[in-house]
Structure formats: C-alpha cells, structure tokens
Amino acid sequence: MPSAPDPGVSTPPAPPPLASLLADGRVALFLDFDGTLVELAPGPDAIAPLADMGERLGRLAVRLGGACAVVSGRAISDIERHIGALAVPAAGSHGSDIRFPDGERHGNSAQGLPEEIEASLRSFADKHDLDYEHKPHGGALHYRRNPENGSKAVAFAQDLAQQHGWAAQSGKCVVELVANDANKGSAVETLMAMSPFAGAMPFFIGDDLTDEAGFRACQDAGGAGILVGDRQGSCAQYAITDVASVHQWLEL
C-alpha cells in the first residue's frame, strides 16, 4: 500500500513508474481530463488535445486489462467532441454519468439545473463580466479572464447552492453548481465495484480541488492519488509536474 505523504514535505514524491506498479499486480487508473490529459486553456472550448488522444487511451486500457477510466467534470459527449469516441469507460459530469465503451450506463445520469438557478448564474456572469457555461449536470462560472471577481463568484455560487439544495464545487478559476451526490469519489467507488476494476490497486490522477474526492476514494481502496502540479493541502500521496509528465508517466 502506498505510504501517506510526509507532513514535513511540501510536495509529494513522484509515483513509481507505471511499469513497476504493473509488475506488482493489477492496476486501475482514473484520469481527470482538463489539466491532466490536456492543458488548461482560457476557455473550455480552447483546449488542444493530442490529435490521437482517444486511440492512445484505448491502448493504455488494453495494457491495464480494461481498468482505465476518464473521470471529468465535463460531460462525456463534450470530451468526445474534442478527442473522438472513447474506447475506455468514462464518468462525466463529476461522476454522475458513467458509461462503458459498449454503451452500457450506470448511475442516475446528469441532472440539469432548474431554470431559476441557471438564470441567476447567467445574470451574475453578465453583471460581473464572467463566462457562464451551461452543462448537462449544472452550470459553471469561469473567471480566468477576470480573476479579481473570483471571490465574488465563489461566494455567490455557494449561497445560491445552499438556497436551492445543490452543491458548489470550486476549481481553477471556476465554480460550479452540481447535484449534491455528484462527485468523482463516488464515481471511483462505483467503478471499483465492477469488472474490470474490482480487485485492482487504484490510482487517481488529477490537478484540481474536485479531484480530491477521487484521491480519497482510491486511498480508501488501497491505492493512491497523484496530484498534477504543486498545490498545498492535497491529500495525494504522489505528484507529477505537468500534463506532459502525465503523458510520459502513462507512456501514452
């Protein structure tokens, strides 16, 4: 079992090579998308994935006996719009929509925002010069191009979520309203109870606050979290420098 991070060390150590982990037994990988498989961009549609990302993930899944999944805040359809059809299981919309390559689905599927909440978010975005993103599972306020209004956006979203019984999840220059039961940890738990993930040592690779639930779920199952970048306060046992280093570690 991976050891817990040393509280006296600010950045966790690099993970063992994937080949080394596989030599010790079965491994399951759960991969965040933005900031992990693709570089962050000024807007959600401005990303530039590797041209053959879908095929590379498919080859990685074969190497892992199928135990490889993309777990993202994006909808599955949005991911596929950028990299083509996924040949691996995916948990989109913060884990609320789980789909296998054969089309089999699990979970409650994405729950859209009520019109009243979405209207409030759009109005706030217009007033404070922010970008609003409609999602199948909720809505997001992006403040990357206007970071000085970030604290206002987070406070507004948290208050709105509390009023209506939803949850506010903060990320890198974004805050989202999602259903209370939508989180990446629950997606990991669901997949780990199923073939081909069951019984494997799980590792979650991600860069953002919403990935912490995935880290914890993998730790609880005997695996570990792998943080992309350098962020204080993460529960991840390991860290990888950047997206290019993730590709290298995965041998994509």
Side-chain angles (χ1 to χ4, degrees):
M1 179 183 298
S3 59
D6 184 343
V9 178
S10 60
T11 302
L18 180 56
S20 174
L21 293 173
L22 288 170
D24 290 337
R26 293 178 54 232
V27 169
L29 292 180
F30 300 95
L31 309 174
D32 175 41
F33 190 69
D34 293 274
T36 298
L37 290 176
V38 299
E39 298 284 359
L40 294 174
D45 287 333
I47 59 171
L50 296 174
D52 56 350
M53 174 64 76
E55 296 176 7
R56 295 181 188 224
L57 290 175
R59 291 194 293 269
L60 175 62
V62 170
R63 187 180 179 195
L64 296 170
C68 177
V70 174
V71 183
S72 175
R74 288 181 185 256
I76 296 174
S77 59
D78 189 26
I79 295 173
E80 292 189 320
R81 185 165 60 87
H82 290 280
I83 68 171
L86 282 167
V88 300
S93 301
H94 289 287
S96 62
D97 185 19
I98 299 174
R99 192 197 73 189
F100 280 74
D102 63 1
E104 181 182 0
R105 289 185 178 272
H106 295 267
N108 298 321
S109 74
Q111 179 182 351
L113 278 178
E115 291 183 7
E116 179 184 359
I117 301 178
E118 183 157 32
S120 295
L121 289 171
R122 289 186 183 276
S123 176
F124 185 89
D126 290 341
K127 181 178 178 180
H128 295 279
D129 194 24
L130 305 176
D131 295 316
Y132 176 74
E133 181 187 6
H134 170 83
K135 294 191 173 189
H137 63 276
L141 293 172
H142 293 269
Y143 50 90
R144 185 174 300 277
R145 65 180 178 83
N146 199 355
E148 61 271 20
N149 282 335
S151 60
K152 294 179 182 178
V154 172
F156 176 79
Q158 290 175 340
D159 183 60
L160 191 64
Q162 186 174 20
Q163 290 177 36
H164 295 275
W166 283 61
Q169 294 190 6
S170 294
K172 291 181 177 178
C173 294
V174 63
V175 59
E176 297 186 50
L177 260 68
V178 299
N180 275 311
D181 59 352
N183 71 81
K184 296 180 180 182
S186 63
V188 169
E189 292 167 358
T190 296
L191 289 169
M192 283 299 295
M194 304 169 64
S195 176
F197 298 90
M201 179 176 286
F203 293 84
F204 194 110
I205 309 179
D207 71 305
D208 216 337
L209 292 172
T210 58
D211 298 315
E212 294 292 324
F215 295 161
R216 289 190 291 270
C218 285
Q219 289 173 212
D220 291 344
I226 303 175
L227 175 67
V228 182
D230 184 8
R231 173 167 50 79
Q232 296 299 312
S234 175
C235 70
Q237 289 99 322
Y238 301 113
I240 292 179
T241 307
D242 51 28
V243 170
S245 299
V246 172
H247 293 171
Q248 183 178 15
W249 189 81
L250 293 173
E251 302 175 24
L252 288 179

